[in-house]
Amino acid sequence: MTQHIHLPWELQLEQLVASISEKQRLRFIQEIGKGTLLFDDSETLATLEIFFSLDCNVSETAKRLFIHRNTLVYRLDKIKQEIGYDVRHFKSANIVQLLLLMYKVTKKV
C-alpha cells in the first residue's frame, strides 16, 4: 500500500505552520533558508523526510534509503553547506524541519 493515513491529532506542527500567513512563510523560507532551491530536489526532500521520521537516526535512515551510511553523511553535509544548519544537531534539526514544513505548505498553496 502506498497510501498514508494522517490523523489530525498527530499533525500539530503542520496545523501551526498552515495557520501562518503565506507572506510570513515565504519570508521565513527566504531568510532562514537563504533562498535555497534545496527542497526542489526530490532526493534531498526524501532524505530529510525519512531522517526526521526516524528521529534523526543516521544509521536507520541510511538503511531505509538503501544507501551507505557515508552517502547519507555526505548528503547531510551538503545540506549543512547549502543552508548552514547541521540537521544532526537538535536545534538545527528543528529549524530545518520547520523550514521544510513551511516549504511544503507554501508549495501546495
Side-chain angles (χ1 to χ4, degrees), residues 85-97:
Y85 293 103
D86 187 352
V87 294
R88 291 167 284 194
H89 298 287
F90 181 75
K91 187 174 181 178
S92 292
N94 283 326
I95 292 169
V96 173
Q97 187 172 25

Side-chain angles (χ1 to χ4, degrees), residues 28-67:
F28 185 84
I29 292 168
Q30 192 66 27
E31 290 175 7
I32 304 301
K34 299 179 176 112
T36 185
L37 300 175
L38 187 67
F39 299 132
D40 289 336
D41 177 29
S42 61
E43 183 178 87
T44 302
L45 199 60
T47 299
L48 284 171
E49 286 177 343
I50 292 172
F51 183 70
F52 291 137
S53 74
L54 295 172
D55 296 324
C56 302
N57 186 313
V58 174
S59 297
E60 287 301 314
T61 302
K63 286 179 190 175
R64 181 77 58 91
L65 290 170
F66 303 106
I67 60 175

Side-chain angles (χ1 to χ4, degrees), residues 75-92:
R75 288 182 189 177
L76 298 177
D77 286 340
K78 180 180 166 189
I79 293 166
K80 179 182 177 185
Q81 187 176 40
E82 177 115 9
I83 60 175
Y85 293 103
D86 187 352
V87 294
R88 291 167 284 194
H89 298 287
F90 181 75
K91 187 174 181 178
S92 292

